[in-house]
Amino acid sequence: MSQQVLPFYLVCDESSSMNGAPIDAINKSLPELHQEIGGNPVVADKTRFALISFNHQAQVLLPLSDLSNVSSVPGLNASGGTNYKEAFDLVRDTITQDVAKLKADGHQVLRPAVFFLTDGHPNDNAEWPAAYQRLTDPGWGPRPNILAFGFGQGGHHDHSAGGHGARIRRRWLAQPGEGAAGVRPVPDQVHRQLRDLGQRHGRHESRDARHGPRFHHHPRRCHMKFSKMQEPAPAVDFVPKKEVPESPEFAGPVNYGNPHVKAGIPRGLPATWKGGQDTVIDGADFPGLTVRGASIRGDDHRYQKEVRQDAMGMWTLSGPGTSEVLLVCAADGVGSQPFSHRGSMLACRTLHEEIGQHIEPMLTEGQGSEAAQKLFESIAHRMTVLAQNWGMEPKALSTTLVAALVELTPPGAPRRCLAFGVGDSAALLLRDETFTGLWDDSHDTGPISDTATAALPTHFSSVASAEVQLGAEDVLVVCTDGLVNPMRNEDVRAQMSSWWRREAVPGLLEFAWQLSFRAKSFGDDRTAVCVWGR
């Protein structure tokens, strides 16, 4: 099963100078860190953990592993000198091997993270800077993000080697001279930083959006009319005419890749205001054409009590002449922005309001791309103005948006369709049992997956678009990356193809159930609108 994976390396100094409180604190914290990460489905399903120790030499104590499948983590023993070069060289070699293996297994590999714990007293000041520069070389594809934590006097200051240009910045876990009681909890510090890395990498985590612009409600006068209370009707005993047969248990979502046992547990309601519902389902049947749509809060957001950041919409509009057209869309709020859940809903609504004057050129052969560009520029302008009126930066509403216009022609007649979008949400065509992307998707061509994306209203330059004919056996899919990413796995693609190319189009609830499958490491919101040309 292809997964999104963040390789995470905890590199610990176990030299003699770490003896006492520092090494005791790390050994006490390793089981807690194991439990904290392994027991959290949001983190465990996306990370692989490796433990590397070093003194005068370096060794891998725990190879890169899924902590939810590890029974225990090895401890450390303080002895020997402190050789940074050995540690940096081993980390680089290990990352090279691990990333190659993960890519060979079909995974999308996010940029590795290295947490470096030391008291800051290396014995190889003449050698380690060159090794550190090799590890952080911008020209090396899998170069990691590195965060150092320090203990005692050496850990209280940044460390550098004069004349070499190498510098390590540290966050300290203990003040100089403090004992074990003064050491800050390692799992708390590391887990907090790991969550932050996940937010920057995966776009799945959102900030608390409770402190948004304030709106004032003006109460209106209400009038109520009371009628005379009636006597209650006599009670009627209900006697079933026959025994009700036992119904089968509801089938849970299909699972791929053994997702975490706690995945999808909604641990309460989102704290943010102005948020959408957990799940939205919609659809319609037209002569010769059927549309189904669902927007589902992801397992990660459910577990973290966060709001769904995806949105969708579908409308019928007046087309050229006397014809009608179907407009469908899906949007994915960028998780690093505080009001992206509002941005996705606003983008869909503004698309509906702005598209009227652009429909005719968009459905005219050869003019669709230019018309879509002008439409998105209008949407971006309106979103920017609204953000400023609400007293927020426009980028706080950042969202992707993908949409399609489909002609509602009579059954059997050709249906022109224009798909268009900004960002990593996608438009796919299911034809002859195969899904085909309607425009290029090259975000995962390097050794490390690129999770950056273009977004409305401020970070986009061009609009992707494609004109297609929707045939009687075709299915057009507009969707967010919550579906696109797991569909890179062959098993998921085959299952969706099997469901959606059946003669009978799924009902509304069945479609939402099909879309709610669980896949290890893919816990993002998932939204799709499908149009069957039949």
Side-chain angles (χ1 to χ4, degrees):
M1 169 68 195
S2 174
Q3 301 168 23
Q4 288 182 323
V5 176
L6 170 64
F8 162 41
Y9 299 85
L10 186 62
V11 183
C12 298
D13 183 349
E14 60 173 355
S15 61
S16 297
S17 59
M18 289 282 289
N19 194 34
I23 208 75
D24 291 343
I26 294 176
N27 282 332
K28 178 179 181 295
S29 297
L30 284 173
E32 299 171 7
L33 184 65
H34 177 202
Q35 182 178 4
E36 181 74 18
I37 295 177
N40 185 329
V42 177
V43 180
D45 278 359
K46 292 185 179 66
T47 59
R48 296 294 181 272
F49 175 88
L51 178 62
I52 295 176
S53 69
F54 71 95
N55 44 32
H56 54 278
Q57 59 186 7
Q59 60 180 330
V60 178
L61 295 182
L62 179 68
L64 200 66
S65 307
D66 181 342
L67 278 184
S68 62
N69 297 327
V70 172
S71 58
S72 63
V73 177
L76 307 180
N77 295 299
S79 66
T82 307
N83 191 309
Y84 280 6
K85 176 183 180 299
E86 290 290 323
F88 295 146
D89 284 346
L90 181 59
V91 170
R92 195 182 196 279
D93 292 343
T94 304
I95 289 177
T96 299
Q97 297 169 13
D98 290 344
V99 169
K101 185 177 186 305
L102 290 169
K103 294 289 288 186
D105 290 340
H107 298 310
Q108 301 170 45
V109 185
L110 303 177
R111 188 161 303 284
V114 173
F115 290 0
F116 190 76
L117 276 63
T118 181
D119 63 356
H121 295 290
N123 305 131
D124 60 335
N125 280 329
E127 298 178 334
W128 73 258
Y132 180 76
Q133 288 175 342
R134 287 193 298 272
L135 179 61
T136 58
D137 179 7
W140 181 45
R143 69 186 181 282
N145 293 310
I146 301 178
L147 185 60
F149 294 87
F151 292 87
Q153 185 67 44
H156 192 54
H157 302 285
D158 295 343
H159 200 78
S160 61
H164 295 279
R167 182 177 181 86
I168 303 175
R169 294 189 176 275
R170 293 190 183 83
R171 302 188 179 198
W172 50 276
L173 294 172
Q175 289 275 15
E178 288 184 326
V183 179
R184 299 186 179 188
V186 176
D188 290 352
Q189 298 284 320
V190 172
H191 192 252
R192 185 180 302 113
Q193 297 301 324
L194 188 58
R195 284 199 306 266
D196 291 345
L197 280 171
Q199 290 173 4
R200 292 197 295 272
H201 273 303
R203 297 177 55 246
H204 300 309
E205 316 299 334
S206 66
R207 299 175 184 171
D208 188 351
R210 286 174 289 182
H211 306 294
R214 299 179 63 184
F215 295 88
H216 300 280
H217 174 67
H218 300 282
R220 298 179 179 177
R221 184 173 300 170
C222 298
H223 299 276
M224 301 182 69
K225 183 177 181 180
F226 294 88
S227 59
K228 183 179 179 181
M229 183 177 293
Q230 303 294 322
E231 292 293 330
V236 177
D237 292 332
F238 173 73
V239 180
K241 294 183 179 180
K242 61 180 181 179
E243 185 177 347
V244 178
E246 183 177 351
S247 60
E249 291 187 6
F250 178 75
V254 177
N255 289 337
Y256 298 94
N258 192 28
H260 199 284
V261 293
K262 295 182 180 179
I265 296 177
R267 301 187 305 160
L269 297 173
T272 185
W273 69 289
K274 202 71 175 179
Q277 300 83 359
D278 179 273
T279 300
V280 173
I281 307 171
D282 205 352
D285 290 70
F286 303 94
L289 186 144
T290 301
V291 58
R292 298 285 185 262
S295 183
I296 301 171
R297 186 159 61 125
D299 285 349
D300 292 358
H301 286 162
R302 285 172 175 163
Y303 189 83
Q304 294 180 323
K305 298 184 289 186
E306 294 177 340
V307 69
R308 173 172 51 88
Q309 295 171 323
D310 278 10
M312 71 170 193
M314 56 181 72
W315 304 270
T316 52
L317 306 169
S318 297
T322 60
S323 65
E324 284 191 321
V325 295
L326 172 68
L327 171 65
V328 298
C329 67
D332 178 8
V334 176
S336 60
Q337 297 302 322
F339 296 103
S340 61
H341 59 291
R342 295 179 61 190
S344 61
M345 292 187 288
L346 179 61
C348 291
R349 188 185 76 197
T350 308
L351 167 68
H352 176 224
E353 294 171 350
E354 288 287 324
I355 199 170
Q357 60 183 315
H358 301 276
I359 289 179
E360 186 168 355
M362 291 179 78
L363 290 177
T364 300
E365 186 174 355
Q367 299 183 29
S369 178
E370 182 180 354
Q373 182 74 31
K374 292 180 179 178
L375 169 62
F376 270 58
E377 289 172 357
S378 298
I379 295 171
H381 174 71
R382 281 193 56 182
M383 291 180 67
T384 299
V385 171
L386 282 172
Q388 293 169 345
N389 290 343
W390 293 339
M392 66 174 69
E393 290 291 329
K395 71 176 182 179
L397 297 172
S398 293
T399 181
T400 69
L401 178 63
V402 61
L405 276 174
V406 184
E407 289 182 320
L408 291 176
T409 54
R415 289 189 180 87
R416 286 181 298 174
C417 169
L418 177 71
F420 48 98
V422 162
D424 56 10
S425 295
L428 312 173
L429 186 67
L430 175 57
R431 176 177 289 170
D432 298 330
E433 305 182 11
T434 301
F435 285 99
T436 303
L438 295 186
W439 47 74
D440 180 52
D441 176 18
S442 56
H443 81 288
D444 194 31
T445 56
I448 299 300
S449 294
D450 182 7
T451 58
T453 183
L456 292 167
T458 58
H459 293 91
F460 81 99
S461 56
S462 61
V463 178
S465 64
E467 299 179 19
V468 296
Q469 291 280 339
L470 188 64
E473 301 299 323
D474 295 339
V475 184
L476 173 69
V477 184
V478 297
C479 58
T480 61
D481 65 347
L483 177 61
V484 174
N485 286 335
M487 278 184 63
R488 300 180 195 282
N489 178 267
E490 184 177 352
D491 291 340
V492 178
R493 284 198 312 275
Q495 181 62 80
M496 307 312 287
S497 173
S498 173
W499 280 334
W500 292 348
R501 60 185 169 82
R502 292 174 181 170
E503 183 176 353
V505 173
L508 295 178
L509 294 179
E510 182 183 5
F511 179 79
W513 175 84
Q514 293 171 350
L515 204 61
S516 66
F517 66 86
R518 292 204 169 103
K520 187 177 180 68
S521 84
F522 295 100
D524 199 4
D525 297 343
R526 188 172 300 141
T527 300
V529 182
C530 294
V531 181
W532 281 262
R534 59 184 70 170

